[in-house]
Amino acid sequence: MPGAIALSPSASDNGFLTTEDILKLKLQADLVVLSACRSGQGDITGDGVVGLSRSLTAAGISSIVVSLWAVNDLSTAFLMVKFYQMLLQGLSPAVALNKAQRWLLNSTQQELMNWFKENLIVLCLPTLRIHIQRLLKSQSDMKTMVLQYLLC
């Protein structure tokens, strides 16, 4: 469904939060992050791109982080955790995102494995931890994975 966020359905709705739904809201947040693939895309009209970003702005959000292309799940997970760590240090969203991207681009596979062990071991699902560790170990070329995320 174009222009929608898929949530869990309930007995009263299908679980889709559409751009139309968002436009009806009055939101009070400094930042919204949609880290899924192509979350920043929309229909191109004479007014520009009409999609989730525009509806969030109209609903009152001042800063939005979205993706314009397909992204690798593993590198996105690392990027988002590092991004939030930078935000917690008091950096602006733009600076935090830039620093997180540069960190990911310049990290070696071993550095990412060490960082994962230090930072993501708090994941409450052991199977998820094991899955991510296997992905890290099986990724033969970490730079290719990172560049796929940053340069697609």
Side-chain angles (χ1 to χ4, degrees):
M1 175 178 287
I5 300 171
L7 305 170
S8 296
S10 70
S12 61
D13 68 58
N14 63 5
F16 288 104
L17 179 64
T18 66
T19 54
E20 185 177 306
D21 296 330
I22 294 169
L23 286 169
K24 296 174 186 173
L25 302 173
K26 297 294 179 225
L27 301 174
Q28 294 182 345
D30 294 327
L31 175 66
V32 168
V33 177
L34 303 176
S35 60
C37 294
R38 298 181 178 96
S39 56
Q41 292 184 344
D43 294 330
I44 300 174
T45 69
D47 293 331
V49 178
V50 178
L52 292 171
S53 298
R54 179 177 258 180
S55 61
L56 287 165
T57 301
I61 304 301
S62 57
S63 294
I64 304 166
V65 174
V66 295
S67 171
L68 296 174
W69 49 79
V71 293
N72 176 283
D73 290 339
L74 184 59
S75 58
T76 299
F78 284 7
L79 179 74
M80 288 292 102
V81 171
K82 191 66 168 180
F83 170 65
Y84 287 117
Q85 288 176 335
M86 297 288 174
L87 284 176
L88 288 172
Q89 292 178 10
L91 299 175
S92 71
V95 172
L97 184 59
N98 181 270
K99 284 186 176 277
Q101 288 172 323
R102 290 178 183 276
W103 167 81
L104 187 59
L105 182 62
N106 294 316
S107 294
T108 65
Q109 184 170 355
Q110 187 60 51
E111 288 169 338
L112 288 174
M113 290 178 79
N114 293 341
W115 178 84
F116 169 76
K117 288 175 186 173
E118 294 168 9
N119 291 279
L120 298 182
I121 204 69
V122 296
L123 289 172
C124 56
L125 297 172
T127 54
L128 182 57
R129 278 198 310 266
I130 292 167
H131 177 68
I132 292 173
Q133 286 172 328
R134 284 184 184 148
L135 282 172
L136 270 171
K137 287 179 183 173
S138 68
Q139 184 64 48
S140 60
D141 185 2
M142 187 60 65
K143 285 292 186 215
T144 299
M145 180 190 76
V146 171
L147 288 173
Q148 175 189 3
Y149 174 80
L150 293 174
L151 303 176
C152 283

